[in-house]
């Protein structure tokens, strides 16, 4: 059974520092992995999607890497800003069940001015 | 504006009283899905639909029903709600459910007393 873990559950960084968020999964047979952002009381916003054949994906200050063999993905946010404060979730799509998406429990990020 | 809409946004009901939460998307997406989010348990998938008249169970389908009679709509039905179905519910859609990112609705907060 696939398990998706995000550690730490929360972190606080000063503005300007780079953010490094981790996502681990136990079964390397994934189809793709997606990173989301969730603001309090709001829905999820997709940030990046990495296919299993890709090593990384970039969008602006965001960069996500994927190492399928070790069961890890990392989301890097460069030069963090207070507006980056949110909960970040990763989700994996299983290769054996395309319609299913399995989420990690998220990392709550606070960027202090 | 491309969006996923859910109604109602907030609902308080009593045990056993049937209810329906509607979900609609205007992006002509093939894939739609329902999730529930609970503290400590994260986001879990209830049901998903790869196309009209095609639905399948997620990880926590017990106590829920869905139907997909039109591409744009994917209602979630609770025939006999119970207090353990008190949760925050999200609907999501994607172009094909495989290679494209999922777009989430704003959420429906349901309380069953």
């Amino acid at each position: 059974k696939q398990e998706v873990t995000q550690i730490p559950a929360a972190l606080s960084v000063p503005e300007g520092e780079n953010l490094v968020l981790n996502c681990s999964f136990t079964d390397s047979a994934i189809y793709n992995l997606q990173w989301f952002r969730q603001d309090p009381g709001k829905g999820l916003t997709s940030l990046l999607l990495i296919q299993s054949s890709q090593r990384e994906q970039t969008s602006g200050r965001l960069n996500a890497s994927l190492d399928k063999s070790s069961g890890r993905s990392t989301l890097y946010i460069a030069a963090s800003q207070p507006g980056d404060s949110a909960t970040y979730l990763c989700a994996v799509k299983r290769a054996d069940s395309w319609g299913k998406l399995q989420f990690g429990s998220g990392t709550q990020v606070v960027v202090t001015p | 504006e491309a969006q996923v809409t859910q109604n109602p946004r907030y609902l308080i009901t009593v045990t056993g009283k049937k209810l329906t939460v509607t979900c609609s998307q205007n992006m002509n997406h093939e894939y739609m899905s329902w999730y529930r989010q609970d503290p400590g348990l994260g986001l879990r998938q209830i049901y998903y639909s790869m196309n009209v008249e095609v639905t399948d169970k997620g990880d926590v389908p017990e106590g829920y029903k869905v139907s997909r009679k039109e591409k744009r709509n994917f209602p979630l039905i609770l025939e006999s709600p119970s207090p353990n179905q008190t949760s925050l519910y999200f609907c999501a859609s994607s172009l094909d459910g495989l290679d494209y990112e999922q777009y989430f609705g704003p959420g429906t907060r349901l309380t069953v007393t």
Side-chain angles (χ1 to χ4, degrees):
Chain A
K1 182 189 173 190
Q2 177 75 274
E3 291 190 9
V4 184
T5 305
Q6 292 184 251
I7 296 174
L11 76 144
S12 178
V13 298
E15 182 177 3
E17 196 165 292
N18 295 334
L19 274 166
V20 180
L21 305 175
N22 299 306
C23 174
S24 301
F25 45 94
T26 54
D27 187 347
S28 62
I30 67 169
Y31 191 82
N32 57 39
L33 184 146
Q34 194 168 356
W35 282 94
F36 293 89
R37 168 189 172 133
Q38 185 175 26
D39 294 287
K42 301 279 180 67
L44 280 69
T45 301
S46 178
L47 298 175
L48 290 167
L49 184 146
I50 313 177
Q51 301 294 350
S52 62
S53 58
Q54 296 177 310
R55 297 285 290 184
E56 66 178 275
Q57 192 71 256
T58 298
S59 175
R61 292 186 296 115
L62 277 58
N63 174 279
S65 66
L66 175 64
D67 184 343
K68 226 174 55 160
S69 60
S70 66
R72 291 181 189 170
S73 177
T74 303
L75 178 67
Y76 300 90
I77 302 178
S80 62
Q81 305 166 0
D84 294 328
S85 298
T87 296
Y88 292 83
L89 299 105
C90 66
V92 301
K93 185 178 290 292
R94 290 146 50 172
D96 62 345
S97 184
W98 293 345
K100 292 189 175 182
L101 198 62
Q102 196 155 349
F103 282 82
S105 52
T107 296
Q108 187 176 13
V109 171
V110 174
V111 180
T112 55
Chain B
E1 180 191 352
Q3 58 183 351
V4 178
T5 57
Q6 296 179 228
N7 282 293
R9 294 289 315 279
Y10 303 90
L11 179 60
I12 301 174
T13 190
V14 296
T15 298
K17 186 176 181 181
K18 181 180 179 180
L19 67 92
T20 299
V21 183
T22 65
C23 173
S24 182
Q25 50 90 8
N26 62 0
M27 296 170 278
N28 202 35
H29 284 172
E30 301 282 343
Y31 176 93
M32 297 184 76
S33 184
W34 277 102
Y35 301 87
R36 61 178 289 174
Q37 186 174 35
D38 302 287
L41 296 174
L43 269 153
R44 294 176 293 168
Q45 192 169 26
I46 304 171
Y47 270 97
Y48 63 94
S49 169
M50 299 292 277
N51 210 328
V52 175
E53 303 291 3
V54 180
T55 62
D56 208 345
K57 297 177 181 177
D59 292 321
V60 288
E62 297 78 19
Y64 304 94
K65 284 177 59 176
V66 293
S67 68
R68 185 96 182 270
K69 293 183 169 42
E70 308 166 279
K71 185 183 270 193
R72 63 182 294 129
N73 297 321
F74 191 44
L76 180 69
I77 303 158
L78 284 71
E79 295 269 2
S80 183
S82 62
N84 65 12
Q85 292 178 299
T86 293
S87 187
L88 180 58
Y89 291 87
F90 288 103
C91 179
S93 74
S94 172
L95 190 60
D96 71 354
L98 292 174
D99 296 313
Y100 294 87
E101 59 190 343
Q102 291 199 18
Y103 293 87
F104 277 71
T108 294
R109 186 165 293 281
L110 172 65
T111 302
V112 184
T113 62

